[in-house]
Amino acid sequence: MKLFNWYLILILTATVAYSCDSINTFKNKHLKSDICNSVEATVQTDPVDSEGDAMDDPAVWIHPDDPSKSLIIGTNKKAGLIIYDLDGKQCQFVQSGRVNNVDIRYGFNLGEEKIDIVAASNRSFNTLSIYKIDGDSCRLTDVSARAIKSDLSEVYGFCLYKSALTGKFFAFVNSKDGSMEQWELFATEDKKIDAKKVRSFEVGKQTEGCVADDELGYLYVGEETFGIWKFFAEPDKNTDRKLVADTTASNIVSDIEGLTIYYTEKGKGYLLASIQGNNSYAVFERDGKNKYLGCFSIVDGSSTDGVKDTDGIDVVNLRLNNKFPNGFFIAQDGYNSKNGRDTTQNFKMVPWENIANSFTSPLIIDNQFNVRMLNQTED
Ligand code: CA
Ligand code: CA
Ligand code: CA
Ligand code: CA
């Protein structure tokens, strides 16, 4: 009898402790995102053809002469790359395989030509896929010199870096086991792009989201369940790193997914991170010690539903058109609905000024600084 009582007490204690823990976890997650500013998306892309968790990472390409003709390149991680115009209308699908993350850089010297490159981690072939973009015809041309196979068990996260020091282009690619590789891209004699591995290092547990700051020479990497790390992006620098923020900080919860940078002059701007665990986006200063400034969430709006479970993000500051006089922030929406009914995933765009002005101390709005210039090299 006595033994039975003890047993009962033990079970009760365990149950109460577990419940409190669950409630606290639940409360924390909610409290953490409830303190974020609410913004609405005004434009969204066409929904993807594939069902389920298919979309992942967007990247915005700025047109050299007419910003209103800029394009969005997104990954359908089950099938290939999709190109959209600024109204979110699909203009191209490239059946490239299971591309996970995508990034863009400007002004790669290929023979006598200067091209803009779109590159991605490709899980179908464990490779880096490299394309030249022709924006006016909404086309990507594969310019990979060969199947550039990674030594990682399986490529996952991906981002590009163009060094302000050397003018060289690099790709960072990581795997779910937390390993990172850095590849230098170079032109071949027959006007293709090849790559050689120049460095590899460990980040920790599962990694994916990454972004490089071309001007300040840093690489930011998300260790999904832990935090955001800052490394030197130059391959000959050491692999010492600094922690930007971890899950003990206000509003940062697991998983940490996509990362992107809002550039403005004099090294100012912001580092933005998708905090998938509570459907918000964290904003840090780009310079100095990357001070945390606050967060925002994309809620249901008059023309689009809210955004949840975001993987990839990107941001553009430049004046593009009347809908986006100050650029926009773009995020993958894990749960998309049309006329109140669930449909396949898409990307949603929020005018930057809506985000900037949602902060008590408004964020910088600079619609002149052009990241194309940032990437320009001497001829
Ligand atoms: Ca997802
Ligand atoms: Ca992930
Ligand atoms: Ca992802
Ligand atoms: Ca949604």
Side-chain angles (χ1 to χ4, degrees), residues 15 33-34 41 68 82 106 123 150 152 162 187 234 329 337 377:
T15 311
S33 68
D34 284 351
S68 74
I82 310 172
Y106 304 96
R123 299 175 78 188
S150 160
L152 298 167
K162 184 180 175 187
E234 290 297 321
F329 171 80
S337 66
T377 45

Side-chain angles (χ1 to χ4, degrees), residues 158-202:
F158 179 90
C159 55
L160 290 171
Y161 169 60
K162 184 180 175 187
S163 168
L165 282 176
T166 61
K168 288 178 179 172
F169 288 70
F170 298 94
F172 287 99
V173 63
N174 62 48
S175 63
K176 281 192 178 177
D177 63 14
S179 307
M180 176 76 81
E181 290 179 343
Q182 181 169 8
W183 291 71
E184 183 183 331
L185 310 187
F186 59 92
T188 62
E189 278 181 5
D190 56 348
K191 294 176 188 167
K192 300 275 187 187
I193 298 178
D194 204 340
K196 60 180 179 200
K197 194 169 77 176
V198 290
R199 186 164 69 140
S200 53
F201 54 94
E202 297 301 316

Side-chain angles (χ1 to χ4, degrees), residues 53-56 77 208 257 276 308-312 332 334 345:
D53 191 26
M55 308 222 81
D56 201 280
K77 59 187 171 190
E208 184 178 359
E257 290 281 345
Q276 193 179 60
K308 286 194 170 141
D309 214 30
T310 296
D311 287 308
Q332 177 248 3
Q345 297 183 340

Side-chain angles (χ1 to χ4, degrees), residues 217-241:
Y218 293 114
L219 167 74
Y220 296 93
V221 189
E223 187 180 348
E224 294 192 353
T225 58
F226 180 74
I228 301 167
W229 293 106
K230 182 182 194 175
F231 292 87
F232 293 114
E234 290 297 321
D236 54 358
K237 288 251 188 177
N238 61 49
T239 53
D240 291 353
R241 60 187 186 175

